[in-house]
Structures are given as C-alpha cells and as structure tokens.
Amino acid sequence: MRFFHKKAENVAAKELEKKEELSPFEASKQGIIDCYSDFDNEKLFTIHLVFENGAEYDLSHQNKEDVGWIVAHKNKGSEGIFQYATKDASGVGIDLRKVIILTVKPEETSKDEEDIS
C-alpha cells in the first residue's frame, strides 16, 4: 500500500515540475490558449489589430497556437513580430508597441474547410 502512495506523490511532483519549467512567455501563451479550450484545435480565428494612428489590420486564419503566440508577445511588451505565411509566401511585420486594441474572433470556417477551398 505504501508503494502506491509514494508513486502518486512522485507523479504529482513531476507534474508540478513541468509547470514550473515554463518561461514567463510560455506560461502566458499557455494561459491564453487555455482560454480557448472550448474550441477544437481546428478552429480558426481572426485577430483584429487597431493601431495608435487609427489604422486597422486583420490577421485571419490563425489557430489557437498563433493567437496565444501573438497575444503573449503583446502582453510581454515585445517591440514587434513578423508573421510569415508559407501558403502565399507573404509576410507582415507588426510593431506591437503601436497596437492599442487587439481583438480575437472565431471564424465561420474551420481549418479543414479552408484546406479544401
């Protein structure tokens, strides 16, 4: 009986260690991804950015990982990000210091439907 108790403690200790190993950025990213746990992993989102000068930009067809990555960078205070799309070989550089509003909206289509088109 003692053996099983000790094993349970070891498993709990290992899980705690895994959580502690995350960097502040990774922990923030994971927290944001967890906010979208109600959506399946194939769900796509549009990130709407509003800049200080009033310009607006949409980053469409983003998955939960991308949303977590971008929002975590904004929360961390990163100066800028560059996002590259391999499908159409285009990229966009964004100065996150100039973004004053960032909203995330689920898209109507899923990743599977997008791949078929």
Side-chain angles (χ1 to χ4, degrees):
M1 193 65 144
R2 203 152 179 51
F3 174 74
F4 293 112
H5 180 67
K6 187 172 185 174
K7 185 175 181 180
E9 288 178 352
N10 288 340
V11 170
K14 286 180 184 178
E15 288 177 0
L16 184 59
E17 286 178 34
K18 286 181 186 177
K19 289 181 181 179
E20 291 177 12
E21 291 176 11
L22 293 177
S23 69
F25 172 78
E26 288 295 325
S28 176
K29 178 182 165 188
Q30 190 57 53
I32 293 159
I33 292 169
D34 290 346
C35 291
Y36 293 93
S37 63
D38 290 345
F39 296 97
D40 64 28
N41 290 335
E42 301 302 314
K43 186 66 178 170
L44 297 176
F45 301 88
T46 295
I47 302 171
H48 182 75
L49 306 170
V50 179
F51 295 87
E52 289 176 346
N53 64 0
E56 298 183 24
Y57 187 77
D58 283 336
L59 292 170
S60 57
H61 312 306
Q62 306 298 311
N63 61 31
K64 289 194 289 190
E65 288 285 326
D66 295 337
V67 170
W69 185 80
I70 291 169
V71 176
H73 271 291
K74 175 64 177 158
N75 291 346
K76 181 184 169 211
S78 296
E79 292 181 2
I81 60 169
F82 182 78
Q83 188 176 45
Y84 180 75
T86 56
K87 187 175 182 179
D88 58 359
S90 63
V92 62
I94 300 171
D95 185 350
L96 291 174
R97 297 170 299 178
K98 305 292 183 184
V99 174
I100 57 172
I101 300 172
L102 185 149
T103 56
V104 179
K105 298 177 190 173
E107 294 181 358
E108 295 298 319
T109 60
S110 69
K111 189 175 181 182
D112 292 335
E113 291 170 357
E114 191 68 30
D115 291 340
I116 294 171
S117 303

